């Protein structure tokens, strides 16, 4: 890669960071003046997340799950989810985290520090992923990546709400970084840990087997089996069987709320199947056969594309393939909240590391997708319903666009940037010629 292409990559990165900062400031002012709801603007969300203790979005339900387990009968989901209609949808193994936190004198303070460390770790891993793809990273480039990450709504939203997704996003990024550095076993280990909270990611085992990545698959399987075995021993077989029923119920009903940026959520909103404007802590949308069939077909088709497309196009088992399948696992889920899209930040950073290989149209699409994913755009979300709610699925559309860009870029030959090599300027080249001539003069005189 020449100095010219290196400068093009850096220039595009810096311009995108500046554009995002400008858009975030503008939206903060508009939302404040027009709607008087500052909490819907990314800048205010970041301020709340950093300036006050994180919320209890995950710990609240995990504490409910732990209390249900310690109650007579030790029934978690039959009593909590199906009996009291509380939306505790994490697997039993997730309770190990809340039990560990409750051992500290101040569980809430410890949890806040853990989430803050996870958020900062995500920013650091993003810089390392960029450097691994390019071979180097300048302080200015690192600063732009950090700025993009700080202003990236899904990451800020997860920290603000106290979502365990902050830690899962970090684990996912570390797994991608391990894969990039050809540490297949570590990648499998880190991904298997995330399955303690999101067992749906077990489909990565199928990905590893189809890629013939035996070390990754073996470590993934061993770690996942160990976690499941310990969890069954601790929480019982019945609670795990009940959790399968919970997953089945979620896939049949999904969520209608505007923040569910999945095909299931879009269909429920278009058909006015459930309340799309307000969060209901106890009610899911009614079962609709058409929603279930279409969203399930989309999920199966997405898995098939993720397994076959990179293999057919010659970029299987690459870092791009790893990121592609991870991003795909978000958009094909029946429930994909805004904070779940934090995983896409690593895909954006990976594409930014290849910015000079993108055409102007592709670069424009990447910039637009980044701005759409990094900001909430009222009144396009929870203020509309029915067919017009299609306009509010911009996060879902941006995710699909980023996946397309990653697949399109990876399918092109010679898209991986080479290490930066410094090219001498014309004045330096002339000086070098004069020096060489001066050194050769005595030799020629002796001859």
């Amino acid at each position: 890669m020449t100095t010219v292409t290196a400068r093009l990559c850096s220039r595009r990165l810096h311009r995108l960071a500046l554009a995002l900062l400008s858009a975030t400031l503008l939206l903060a002012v508009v939302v404040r003046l027009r709607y008087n709801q500052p909490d819907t603007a990314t800048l205010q969300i970041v301020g709340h997340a950093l300036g006050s203790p994180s919320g209890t979005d995950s710990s609240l339900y995990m504490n409910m799950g732990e209390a249900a387990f310690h109650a007579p009968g030790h029934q978690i989901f039959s009593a909590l989810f199906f009996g009291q209609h509380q939306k505790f949808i994490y697997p039993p193994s997730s309770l190990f985290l809340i039990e560990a936190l409750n051992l500290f004198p101040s569980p809430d303070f410890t949890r806040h520090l853990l989430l803050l460390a996870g958020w900062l770790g995500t920013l650091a891993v993003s810089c390392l992923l960029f450097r691994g793809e390019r071979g180097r990273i300048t302080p200015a480039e690192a600063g732009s990546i950090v700025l993009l990450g700080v202003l990236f709504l899904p990451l800020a939203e997860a920290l603000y709400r106290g979502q365990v997704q902050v830690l899962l996003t970090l684990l996912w990024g570390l797994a991608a970084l391990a894969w990039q550095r050809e540490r297949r076993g570590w990648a499998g280990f880190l991904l298997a840990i995330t399955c303690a909270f999101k067992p749906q990611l077990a489909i990565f085992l199928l990905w590893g087997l189809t890629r013939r990545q035996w070390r990754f698959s073996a470590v993934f399987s061993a770690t996942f089996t160990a976690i499941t075995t310990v969890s069954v021993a601790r929480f019982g077989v019945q609670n795990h069987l009940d959790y399968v029923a919970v997953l089945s119920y979620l896939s049949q009903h999904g969520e209608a709320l505007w923040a569910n940026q999945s095909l299931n959520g879009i269909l429920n909103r278009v058909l006015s199947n459930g309340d799309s404007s307000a969060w209901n802590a106890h009610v899911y949308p009614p079962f609709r056969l058409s929603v279930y069939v279409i969203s399930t077909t989309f999920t199966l088709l997405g898995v098939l594309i993720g397994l076959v497309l990179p293999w057919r196009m010659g970029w299987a088992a690459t870092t791009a393939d790893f990121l592609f399948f991870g991003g795909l696992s978000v958009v094909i889920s029946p429930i994909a909240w805004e904070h779940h899209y934090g995983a896409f930040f690593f895909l954006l950073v990976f594409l930014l590391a290849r910015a000079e290989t993108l055409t102007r149209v592709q670069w424009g699409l990447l910039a637009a997708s980044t701005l759409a994913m990094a900001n909430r755009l009222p009144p396009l979300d929870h203020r509309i319903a029915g067919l017009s709610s299609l306009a509010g699925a911009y996060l879902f559309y941006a995710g699909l666009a980023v996946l397309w860009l990653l697949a399109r870029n990876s399918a092109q030959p010679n898209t991986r940037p080479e290490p930066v090599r410094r090219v001498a300027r014309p004045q330096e080249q002339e000086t070098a010629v004069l020096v060489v001539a001066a050194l050769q003069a005595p030799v020629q005189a002796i001859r």
Side-chain angles (χ1 to χ4, degrees):
M1 181 178 58
T2 65
T3 303
V4 175
T5 55
R7 288 176 178 173
L8 175 60
C9 177
S10 296
R11 187 164 57 250
R12 283 183 165 181
L13 172 61
H14 300 328
R15 287 177 177 176
L16 181 58
L18 181 60
L20 178 56
L21 177 60
S22 302
T24 303
L25 291 171
L26 178 61
L27 283 172
V29 173
V30 171
V31 170
R32 180 70 179 182
L33 296 178
R34 177 64 178 83
Y35 302 104
N36 197 28
Q37 292 181 325
D39 287 348
T40 62
T42 301
L43 201 61
Q44 280 81 2
I45 291 175
V46 173
H48 288 315
L50 297 179
S52 60
S54 57
T56 58
D57 196 8
S58 294
S59 58
L60 173 65
Y61 287 101
M62 288 182 182
N63 278 314
M64 286 184 183
E66 186 188 28
F69 173 68
H70 289 290
H74 306 289
Q75 298 179 347
I76 300 176
F77 300 101
S78 60
L80 195 61
F81 185 86
F82 294 106
Q84 303 176 25
H85 305 291
Q86 296 287 351
K87 293 186 176 182
F88 174 66
I89 60 175
Y90 296 108
S93 53
S94 66
L95 297 180
F96 285 127
L97 175 62
I98 204 68
E99 289 183 342
L101 289 174
N102 288 336
L103 295 176
F104 288 86
S106 178
D108 288 340
F109 180 72
T110 304
R111 176 181 55 84
H112 179 65
L113 288 181
L114 185 62
L115 293 176
L116 184 60
W119 182 75
L120 294 173
T122 297
L123 301 179
V125 169
S126 301
C127 294
L128 293 175
L129 189 68
F130 182 92
R131 187 183 68 176
E133 184 62 18
R134 296 197 66 79
R136 58 166 290 183
I137 183 172
T138 66
E141 290 171 341
S144 292
I145 292 174
V146 169
L147 179 60
L148 287 171
V150 169
L151 299 178
F152 196 66
L153 174 66
L155 298 179
E157 180 79 7
L159 181 62
Y160 171 53
R161 294 189 176 278
Q163 252 289 333
V164 71
Q165 184 63 43
V166 173
L167 302 179
L168 302 184
T169 300
L170 173 60
L171 287 173
W172 158 245
L174 287 171
L177 185 63
W179 188 272
Q180 184 188 60
R181 298 185 175 187
E182 300 184 355
R183 303 292 181 88
R184 310 305 195 207
W186 278 105
F189 174 74
L190 292 165
L191 267 182
I193 293 178
T194 65
C195 291
F197 301 88
K198 285 192 172 183
Q200 302 92 320
L201 288 179
I203 60 173
F204 251 101
L205 177 59
L206 181 60
W207 178 88
L209 292 174
T210 58
R211 301 302 187 261
R212 298 183 178 181
Q213 297 295 320
W214 310 126
R215 184 174 181 81
F216 168 85
S217 302
V219 174
F220 186 101
S221 300
T223 307
F224 183 80
T225 301
I227 292 174
T228 304
T229 301
V230 174
S231 181
V232 170
R234 169 63 173 159
F235 302 107
V237 175
Q238 188 58 49
N239 281 322
H240 287 78
L241 294 177
D242 290 342
Y243 183 66
V244 175
V246 171
L247 292 179
S248 176
Y249 186 91
L250 294 175
S251 66
Q252 294 176 25
H253 293 263
E255 282 277 12
L257 187 67
W258 57 271
N260 179 22
Q261 294 286 307
S262 69
L263 183 61
N264 178 284
I266 294 173
L267 293 174
N268 277 318
R269 290 190 289 274
V270 168
L271 298 176
S272 299
N273 188 45
D275 188 359
S276 62
S277 61
W279 165 255
N280 192 314
H282 304 284
V283 177
Y284 287 96
F287 174 76
R288 291 285 290 267
L289 181 61
S290 57
V291 174
Y292 176 71
V293 170
I294 295 174
S295 60
T296 302
T297 302
F298 178 75
T299 298
L300 295 176
L301 182 61
V303 173
L304 183 62
I305 291 175
L307 294 176
V308 175
L309 182 66
W311 174 68
R312 291 285 296 177
M313 301 183 71
W315 47 284
T318 62
T319 305
D321 184 16
F322 192 91
L323 292 170
F324 181 79
F325 198 74
L328 199 61
S329 68
V330 175
V331 298
I332 65 176
S333 299
I335 300 177
W337 300 120
E338 290 175 304
H339 47 263
H340 293 164
Y341 279 82
F344 270 86
F345 187 66
F346 299 111
L347 279 71
L348 293 173
V349 170
F350 185 82
L351 284 169
L352 286 171
R354 297 181 168 196
E356 76 280 356
T357 66
L358 302 175
T359 66
R360 289 187 177 181
V361 174
Q362 292 173 348
W363 169 248
L365 181 59
L366 177 62
S369 299
T370 302
L371 295 177
M373 299 181 83
N375 286 284
R376 193 171 291 153
L377 306 175
L380 297 182
D381 38 51
H382 55 291
R383 293 174 176 80
I384 52 180
L387 191 62
S388 59
S389 65
L390 288 172
Y394 49 86
L395 188 56
F396 176 76
Y397 304 145
L400 293 179
V402 171
L403 289 173
W404 179 84
L405 285 171
L406 183 59
R408 185 72 179 87
N409 181 263
S410 301
Q412 297 174 357
N414 301 323
T415 55
R416 180 179 176 85
E418 299 176 357
V420 176
R421 298 183 179 88
R422 184 175 180 274
V423 178
R425 297 176 181 178
Q427 296 87 346
E428 295 175 341
Q429 294 176 349
E430 294 175 1
T431 303
V433 171
L434 293 176
V435 171
V436 172
L439 292 174
Q440 289 179 344
V443 178
Q444 294 174 351
I446 294 174
R447 288 179 180 178

